[in-house]
Amino acid sequence: MASGSEHAAETAAELMKAMVRLRARLRAESVPDETPSWTWSQLMTLGRIIDEGPTTVSELAHGEHVRRQSMAETIASLRAQGLITSVPDPDDGRKTLISASVEGRALLATIPAAREKWLSLTIAKALGPDEQQTLLKAAAIMNQIADSEV
Amino acid sequence: MASGSEHAAETAAELMKAMVRLRARLRAESVPDETPSWTWSQLMTLGRIIDEGPTTVSELAHGEHVRRQSMAETIASLRAQGLITSVPDPDDGRKTLISASVEGRALLATIPAAREKWLSLTIAKALGPDEQQTLLKAAAIMNQIADSEV
DNA sequence: CGGATATCAGACCTACTGACATTG
DNA sequence: CCAATGTCAGTATGTCTGATATCC
């Protein structure tokens, strides 16, 4: 074989294509009137805050591979909706420790995510168990790639 | 059984998470100085034009699940770079038929996509053949979902 | 005139880069 | 003084909605 890298290029291209197209479909399918306010970035950041306990904007930004400024925006949205609380770090005045509020934990527990609804339904309706399993495995692999060191 | 929908919800959530995070990582990894000009939307649209022969903005927009205006932007970029040509439909004055130019076909044949480079390398380096196969299958399934009828 | 196509104009969302104050 | 953190600005991209002209 030794054609591993060729396959890798094809896989990369196909994966990118699938991601762009599925994203577009999800956007098209999302009902504007039902969208409350949370984006996936917000939801995922909230989940990460709950998992990692009190943390800082910089740490979150690093973990999600975005700039501090971008993450600050997300945090501001979450704070505006009362899903998180932030207090100055008593040991380091530069830092602001962010924690999930009771409301934030409650929200994530129910995981309403209107956008997810259509995808869940379509997956349940159009896919067999094997295909669902493949997607789940692929999601894990994609996360692994996203966090791979160099 | 009967838990298919629960699994579907979990799969949907995991897939969304993976897509958002991988996208972020790809953005972080893309080298700004190397980015020539093509976006994935442009590349995919170009591919679709080649596959479907002469077509219209509306048809392309429908196929990619975006608004006509958005697709018009993409088409304008492709035209500005000489990758496509467009002529008025002789039979229907409202339509503009779009075809790929020789340059466009040549470009897609080489598939340079600088953004793809990091992903290809990481896939080749960090993933085994089985995992690559899973991603490829998943990509096909994701496309299937993106085009599913209701 | 109603339906479809294309395009112009304005807005938004989310991320980016650059510059700055504060703290360690 | 230098490094890290957080925040304020301005920019860029890709998409959206609304309005308009043209053609069938």
Side-chain angles (χ1 to χ4, degrees), chain A residues 39 41 66-67 69-70 92-94:
Chain A
T39 65
S41 298
V66 296
R67 295 285 106 107
Q69 297 93 322
S70 305
D92 189 335
R94 296 171 303 180

Side-chain angles (χ1 to χ4, degrees), chain B residues 4-69:
Chain B
S5 56
E6 292 171 29
H7 283 150
E10 187 198 343
T11 303
E14 286 301 315
L15 186 58
M16 284 304 304
K17 204 174 108 178
M19 281 172 49
V20 171
R21 303 200 65 235
L22 183 52
R23 240 175 67 89
R25 178 63 187 269
L26 281 164
R27 201 186 309 111
E29 213 67 35
S30 77
V31 273
D33 51 294
E34 283 291 345
T35 326
S37 17
W38 332 290
T39 65
W40 274 100
S41 296
Q42 290 171 13
L43 241 35
M44 283 168 44
T45 301
L46 181 56
R48 185 175 278 262
I49 292 169
I50 293 176
D51 288 344
E52 303 196 352
T55 181
T56 67
V57 172
S58 291
E59 281 182 64
L60 289 169
H62 181 259
E64 296 293 329
H65 305 292
V66 295
R67 294 285 106 108
R68 283 187 310 241
Q69 296 94 323

Side-chain angles (χ1 to χ4, degrees), chain A residues 50-122:
Chain A
I50 292 176
D51 288 344
E52 302 195 354
T55 182
T56 67
V57 171
S58 291
E59 283 182 63
L60 289 169
H62 181 259
E64 295 293 330
H65 306 292
V66 296
R67 295 285 106 107
R68 278 174 310 186
Q69 297 93 322
S70 305
M71 181 54 71
E73 290 272 314
T74 304
I75 294 299
S77 304
L78 291 175
R79 189 185 298 130
Q81 294 170 80
L83 301 178
I84 58 166
T85 57
S86 50
V87 294
D89 188 326
D91 300 330
D92 189 335
R94 296 171 303 180
K95 297 183 181 177
T96 303
L97 293 178
I98 299 162
S99 311
S101 67
V102 181
E103 290 83 0
R105 291 171 191 274
L107 176 64
L108 212 69
T110 54
I111 312 182
R115 285 184 184 175
E116 188 190 354
K117 204 174 155 194
W118 176 85
L119 185 57
S120 291
L121 253 99
T122 307

